[in-house]
Amino acid sequence: MKLNHLNLTVNDVHAAREFLEKYFDLQTRHTRGNSFAVLFDDDELVLTLMKGNQVNYPKTFHIGFIQETEERVNEINQRLKDDGYDVEPPQRAHGWTFYIEAPGGFTVEVLC
């Protein structure tokens, strides 16, 4: 058994969807305006995004994208910086990792 579906409430479905597609290679399979989107990853995880007016996740809540190498973590971090995101450099914690506040109101961790 594996976790294969997650729903996130976001304040901007379009922006969150584009962010996840561009930086984490998710593919959109269905949208309903700016109120709902269904995205898949290469392992068939189904990630749905639903519009909410008051998105308020707990401070430690996040989703994560585990990479195969530190170099890949560094590449994603640099792409985000180059595109104007305010992101701290990766650091050694429970792995080589960094966090970023994604458009839509949730946090993403990138690590290896």
Side-chain angles (χ1 to χ4, degrees), residues 5-21:
H5 172 63
L6 178 66
N7 179 77
L8 296 175
T9 302
V10 298
N11 55 31
D12 188 333
V13 170
H14 181 76
R17 179 176 61 81
E18 285 188 337
F19 178 83
L20 293 166
E21 289 172 340

Side-chain angles (χ1 to χ4, degrees), residues 6-67:
L6 178 66
N7 179 77
L8 296 175
T9 302
V10 298
N11 55 31
D12 188 333
V13 170
H14 181 76
R17 179 176 61 81
E18 285 188 337
F19 178 83
L20 293 166
E21 289 172 340
K22 182 173 184 176
Y23 299 104
F24 302 103
D25 300 327
L26 273 72
Q27 302 91 39
T28 299
R29 300 250 181 108
H30 175 74
T31 62
R32 193 176 318 130
N34 192 39
S35 64
F36 181 74
V38 179
L39 295 90
F40 282 75
D41 72 4
D42 291 338
D43 290 325
E44 296 300 311
L45 168 74
V46 179
L47 177 64
T48 54
L49 305 173
M50 297 180 80
K51 171 101 170 118
N53 293 327
Q54 296 181 347
V55 176
N56 188 17
Y57 288 106
K59 184 176 180 169
T60 59
F61 176 84
H62 63 279
I63 64 171
F65 291 93
I66 299 172
Q67 305 301 306

